[in-house]
Amino acid sequence: MKKTTCPLDCYDACSIVLEDKLRGDKDHPVTKGHLCYKMNHYHNFPQLDSAYYKGEKISLSDALDILEERLKKCEPKKVLHFRGSGNFGKMQAITDLFFAKYGAVLTVGSLCDAAGQLGIEEGRGKNLILPTTQIQKSELVIVWGRNITSTNSHILPFLNGKTVVVIDPVKTDIAKKAAMHLQIRPRTDLELACMLARFVYMQNAEDENFIEDRTEDYEFFADFIKTYRIVSTVDKIGVDILDIATLAELMQSMKTVILVGNGVQKYSHGTEVVRMIDSLAAMLGLFGKEGCGVGFLGDTSVELNDPLKVEAKRVQKAVADFGEFDISFIQGSNPVITMPNSKRVIEGLEKSFTVVFGIYMDETAKMADLVIPAKNFLQKNDIRFSYGHEYVGIMPKIEDNQNAISEYEFTKEMFKRFGFDGLKSEEEYIKEYEKQLMKDGEYYKLPSFEDIPYSEEFYTDAGLFCFIDEVEDEFNHEEEGFYLITPKCKTSLNSQFKRDNFLYVHPSTLLKDGDKVLVTSSYGEAEFEVRVKEELREDSVLAYSGNEKVNFLTPPKTDNYGNNAVFQEVKVKIRKVG
Ligand SMILES: Nc1nc2c(c(=O)[nH]1)N[C@H]1C(S)=C(S)[C@@H](COP(=O)(O)OP(=O)(O)OC[C@H]3O[C@@H](n4cnc5c(=O)[nH]c(N)nc54)[C@H](O)[C@@H]3O)O[C@H]1N2
Ligand SMILES: Nc1nc2c(c(=O)[nH]1)N[C@H]1C(S)=C(S)[C@@H](COP(=O)(O)OP(=O)(O)OC[C@H]3O[C@@H](n4cnc5c(=O)[nH]c(N)nc54)[C@H](O)[C@@H]3O)O[C@H]1N2
Ligand code: SF4
Ligand SMILES: [Mo]
């Protein structure tokens, strides 16, 4: 029986058994058997079966000839290598070796989780994975800006029998089943964490021993949270003060796990939001104890000696301007749909000679000058980490495909054509990762795996947790318009698979299913077809990630620290047009 692992950018990293079709692996300790819509329909989405030049089919070797010729004529610093997360396998990064040697510009930062990651590093030093075993041992699970039913469904069985509290501006499926749902105003998580901390402080319920032994700067934190006035802050958050007080009390008396998602940090102050949630947890001593902890999208690079790490000149991913480059080489990404501010992205790509190395004829491939078909995850060797649990998945090659090329084969070919040396065999790279893992029966665990993370130390300079004590935030909540919520869709993986192109609105807008609206923001406009959704707040509209229009509205900006896209740092106006 052959096994592999789902390649998609997803918390779960499901183990897959290859039988007559792709099936879930019942033996896997976390993913335990079932796959989601995307993997169950993987073969319904046709893979590219040819290279294309200016829209015409050409052979793979002709495509590589054209690329070679173009690259040789171009100044290396005018070439951008833009790599996305269409496939989460480690071997995606092999192409960095070629482009760095060639002298191209690579990217730094993220469209995804870099803001939150930094917030965690500032407090704890490292963003370790919270093992599922600790979730299992907890009593209270706070699902904070994570839509686990859609994005992390294999964690659901671990929540059985726990008290579940959801903090989300949308009444998500998990919110409907939860003991409590705080349907907060979007972008007020920092204030909520602050109010919870205030209640804990007023009741003298902080974990004094933990604060004394394991943290620093608590006094500054205590002063900082006092600068938020209770009545006006609770009013801003938009939920009942009694609910906040109740949650603060639950957290004091139960073993608590907080599962923080991407939703809280798509903002300019995303780093501070996540650090504030961490600070609340530290105040209650929720680190380094059984059944406790805060899990975000964990950092899989911790303790990993990465053979594919390279030095290169880099530009910020969220605001990369394709128009500044003579050649844009896009791999495993569909920036026309997934990058903020689609109009700017399209205009940039029109100016650049665009090469897409991917598996689908997606929107970016359709506008590309040259398309190079990649092998899919079944057709090449790889290994992947999960950011949601402690297991690492091996992905051996299962089938052949003569019409496409793997990232390793592409790199090898380019090394040859450019006379570069130093590329090792594919097997050596994968072994390099594998040898760092901890074996657990048939499966592997992360090199940074700690059964109870931070039980010995934090990884800051002083080895202590470092509390937050200031925030810079100039967002104007009073600006006219609706908050734009843009989370993940159940049937798509960002721009891949079955997408949803509707704009969801609250019934109070008096719009009806099928109405057409023009939506505008300070950054752009687009037309959408409406669907009414009672689960929203009156002040919000929602369009899922992968929606073909939503990123026409989003800001071409990064967060306060310049690391991450800020898809939700915007308000939108809607007008019915038909
Ligand atoms: N089915 C599916 N699964 C996926 C993906 C996919 O596209 N589809 N994408 C994968 C990727 S790339 C990632 S990064 C992860 C992310 O997955 P999640 O961490 O679940 O992140 P999102 O779906 O972006 O948003 C989660 C929740 O945040 C809520 N939210 C929005 N704004 C706010 C706010 O201001 N405060 C709070 N508290 N909540 C808010 C949304 O309503 C939503 O329910 O999912 C991965 N898994
Ligand atoms: N509005 C809005 N926009 C968002 C988000 C949001 O929540 N809202 N989320 C953001 C987040 S968190 C993320 S992570 C990004 C993700 O955005 P992207 O990085 O663009 O990822 P995908 O849309 O999943 O994949 C794009 C392409 O990857 C290619 N691909 C798949 N497998 C392979 C492979 O094995 N090899 C190669 N070479 N190519 C392959 C396919 O051709 C596919 O079209 O989107 C971001 N954009
Ligand atoms: S997308 Fe996520 S839930 Fe679906 S099969 Fe892959 S890892 Fe599992
Ligand atoms: Mo992501």
Side-chain angles (χ1 to χ4, degrees), residues 445-459:
K445 278 186 186 159
L446 287 166
S448 60
F449 172 75
E450 288 182 24
D451 186 27
I452 303 180
Y454 313 102
S455 49
E456 302 287 320
E457 58 172 343
F458 288 100
Y459 299 93

Side-chain angles (χ1 to χ4, degrees), residues 3 12-16 24-34 131-133 136 154-158 389-393 438-445 449:
K3 287 190 181 180
D12 293 357
C14 290
S15 180
I16 297 177
D25 170 9
K26 295 196 174 63
D27 300 329
H28 191 274
V30 176
T31 63
K32 292 179 187 156
H34 70 279
T132 42
T133 38
Q136 195 122 50
H154 292 82
I155 211 82
L156 287 167
F158 292 88
H389 60 67
E390 59 272 35
Y391 289 90
V392 177
M438 298 185 207
K439 194 108 175 83
D440 180 13
E442 181 192 346
Y443 302 98
Y444 292 93
K445 278 186 186 159
F449 172 75

Side-chain angles (χ1 to χ4, degrees), residues 175 193 239 509:
V239 298
T509 56

Side-chain angles (χ1 to χ4, degrees), residues 6-16 31 34-40 150-154 384 493:
C6 174
L8 301 175
D9 181 348
C10 173
Y11 289 98
D12 293 357
C14 290
S15 180
I16 297 177
T31 63
H34 70 279
L35 301 178
C36 72
Y37 174 88
K38 291 151 285 180
M39 264 306 119
N40 285 330
S150 292
T151 63
N152 184 202
S153 61
H154 292 82
R384 75 155 291 174
L493 201 290

